[in-house]
Amino acid sequence: MAAFDDSLSVVSKSTSDKEHHDPEKDNLAHLLDKYKDRLTTLPKQKGWMGENLYLYQGFWYRSYGPFSVQMTMALQDSYQPHPANIYLVTPPKSGTTWVKALMFATLNRARYNQNTLLPHPLLISNPHNCVPFIEREFTKKTPNYVQENPNPHTARLFSTHIPYTSLPRSILDSSCRLVYLCRNPKDVMVSWYYFSNKLTKKHLTPMTIKEMFEVFTKGTLPYGPYWDHVKEYYKASCQHPTRILFLTYEVLKKDTFNQVKRIAEFLGCPFSKEEEGKGGVEEIMRICSLESLKEANKDGEYNEGVSNAVFFREGKVGGWGDDLTNEMSKILDDITNEKFQDLNISF
Ligand code: A3P
């Protein structure tokens, strides 16, 4: 996958760039060390891929790497958002990568339409490089969230999986807006299953669909329980509808055209009648289609042990039918009905 450089700092690093001294790794190691004592006070349990997960503020976390509980603690202690930041928040495997692409392509459409010399980043790079996780930006020496985008009035896009209860106070107290995306838990669970077993880290133990079902229903996988994650953001979006845009993967798939327009309005860059007439919305949909992103990400690694390709599979609504037994499906439906009984969410 080609690397490119522009002022949005969307840079795809080759593995060899990182070989010798990696400030991101050093910073992460320092952070893990800083919070190691607090880690030992948390309840732990074996869960996803045979790992010990830790329970913090009602949710399960890993204990190392950027998506660890220590990272959430560090962000809570010292993350400072820029007021123009907009965050995509998701439970993993809900369509994060797709919506990152849609938000990035929508917000930056003028830039890449006008300047034909610049290749569209989404045709050569992983959407996760275009809309970075704050968990990864935080440990960079010169984080994108400081140096990126010189115009303070233009929105800047980031993402996280952190549950609402544990979002850094600094984000909640800011004027930053959030886009939240969720998906039918049965498709999320199956997506987790295929994703996890394609990871190539040696210490991770592959899981059967039955084992994945067990950890998913118990919530013992990163950022689980899934239902509580959704519930908290749903309620917050009802309280703060202008600050939190609540989306579902299913509606996005069914009516991508209108949902992209809705996202554009929320990002503060609505499509003009003229743009719409020229097929501007369809162009975004095309660049961000599963086929196009799959092609752009067929080679290379996003991160150690995580290929670019692993984020793109079937992208179906209701694909769970091929993998779940009737019994699993019924149990998941029962949990969903019980947990979401007072919420107006349907998948
Ligand atoms: P499946 O495993 O069901 O195919 P996340 O990005 O949160 O990790 O979610 C991954 C899921 O989103 C995968 O679902 C993947 O195929 C799907 N996905 C990725 N890109 C997509 C796109 N452009 N359109 C629709 N779905 C997409």
Side-chain angles (χ1 to χ4, degrees), residues 93-98 183 191 249 288 290 311 313-315:
K93 312 325 298 166
S94 297
T96 321
T97 321
W98 182 25
R183 184 183 188 188
S191 190
Y249 183 89
C288 302
L290 185 58
F311 296 99
R313 197 180 60 96
E314 287 189 333

Side-chain angles (χ1 to χ4, degrees), residues 331-347:
I331 292 172
L332 289 168
D333 283 343
D334 288 349
I335 300 174
T336 306
N337 291 337
E338 193 217 313
K339 292 269 193 182
F340 291 174
Q341 60 180 316
D342 51 342
L343 314 184
N344 186 17
I345 309 179
S346 57
F347 295 108

Side-chain angles (χ1 to χ4, degrees), residues 289-342:
S289 66
L290 185 58
E291 298 67 38
S292 174
L293 296 182
K294 229 182 209 177
E295 175 61 26
N297 288 278
K298 60 181 194 282
D299 302 317
E301 275 199 335
Y302 163 65
N303 198 10
E304 239 175 285
V306 185
S307 69
N308 285 311
V310 79
F311 296 99
F312 310 93
R313 197 180 60 96
E314 287 189 333
K316 275 207 239 161
V317 169
W320 57 265
D322 297 337
D323 295 282
L324 298 186
T325 62
N326 289 342
E327 193 192 357
M328 287 173 178
S329 164
K330 171 150 186 353
I331 292 172
L332 289 168
D333 283 343
D334 288 349
I335 300 174
T336 306
N337 291 337
E338 193 217 313
K339 292 269 193 182
F340 291 174
Q341 60 180 316
D342 51 342

Side-chain angles (χ1 to χ4, degrees), residues 27 49 55 91 119 160 225 229 271 284 346:
N27 291 341
M49 303 295 273
L55 186 66
T160 185
H229 201 289
F271 284 89
I284 302 289
S346 57

